[in-house]
Amino acid sequence: RLARVLRKGFDLWSRPDKAGSAFRRPSERTTVMKVSDIMTRDVESCTSTTTLPQVAKLMWSAGCGAIPVLDARAKVVGIITDRDISMALVNTGRKPASIPAWEVMTGHVQSCGPEDNVKDALETMKRFKVRRLPILSEDGELRGILSMDDIIVRALSHDAPTSAEILNTLREILD
């Protein structure tokens, strides 16, 4: 049976198609969508000593809700979100200009690599309840960021996460 399948040019390792068959012709194979295919590449960043108003200005100009925090070697040491800034301003009673990013950033950052599968990145988002993942090179340098927005807006290809997978991830994040 295996020889017959191979002679006909079917791919045994592909997932079932809509009809439920476990086989696909080579022309029907899907390609894996990589994070690099849909990530945002031009990402603003700040240092741990950047003040909250400065971070907010970076977010405003970039049209984003999260900024990676880098150390002196350009390695990601945290991430600060618009929510982090809002909560710090409400809860501390301090002047915004007196609060550095390191005081409110998330220090343990979940990330992924540019060659990672988008579905794996979605699983990481779900598991750690985050909406954004910094994209790091093998040596730990910032290459971009992947957000739920990127996945929803740009993931319109053959092996993109399904709407059910995206909604399930959002449900898990919001729980």
Side-chain angles (χ1 to χ4, degrees):
R1 181 171 181 236
L2 177 60
R4 186 178 67 229
V5 169
L6 292 176
R7 269 194 314 272
K8 289 186 177 183
F10 289 94
D11 180 7
L12 291 171
W13 295 274
S14 64
R15 63 183 182 184
D17 62 15
K18 291 179 185 171
S21 168
F23 305 110
R24 286 188 180 197
R25 297 181 191 280
S27 63
E28 297 172 344
R29 289 184 192 144
T30 60
T31 57
V32 173
M33 178 179 280
K34 296 179 192 176
V35 167
S36 61
D37 295 334
I38 65 170
M39 70 184 195
T40 300
R41 294 177 187 278
D42 296 323
V43 177
E44 292 290 341
S45 62
C46 68
T47 67
S48 60
T49 58
T50 306
T51 64
L52 296 191
Q54 293 169 318
V55 174
K57 285 179 186 174
L58 286 171
M59 287 180 184
W60 180 265
S61 67
C64 66
I67 301 282
V69 182
L70 308 181
D71 65 11
R73 299 168 307 170
K75 305 294 184 197
V76 176
V77 294
I79 192 164
I80 186 167
T81 67
D82 46 6
R83 184 178 189 281
D84 295 331
I85 294 172
S86 299
M87 297 307 287
L89 296 178
V90 168
N91 291 320
T92 65
R94 295 168 46 197
K95 291 183 179 181
S98 72
I99 305 172
W102 67 266
E103 285 188 26
V104 300
M105 71 181 193
T106 299
H108 184 71
V109 179
Q110 300 303 317
S111 64
C112 62
E115 297 303 309
D116 289 351
N117 183 322
V118 171
K119 290 184 180 184
D120 293 338
L122 199 61
E123 280 300 314
T124 300
M125 290 176 168
K126 185 185 339 181
R127 186 175 332 116
F128 294 99
K129 298 183 181 262
V130 296
R131 296 180 191 187
R132 304 164 185 103
L133 294 172
I135 311 306
L136 307 181
S137 66
E138 288 184 17
D139 60 351
E141 291 186 12
L142 182 65
R143 293 289 181 240
I145 198 160
L146 180 69
S147 69
M148 286 299 297
D149 290 353
D150 294 327
I151 294 171
I152 292 167
V153 172
R154 298 184 185 136
L156 300 174
S157 76
H158 300 288
D159 197 43
T162 64
S163 56
E165 290 171 317
I166 294 169
L167 288 173
N168 186 35
T169 299
L170 280 172
R171 186 179 304 115
E172 292 290 325
I173 290 170
L174 298 173
D175 252 352

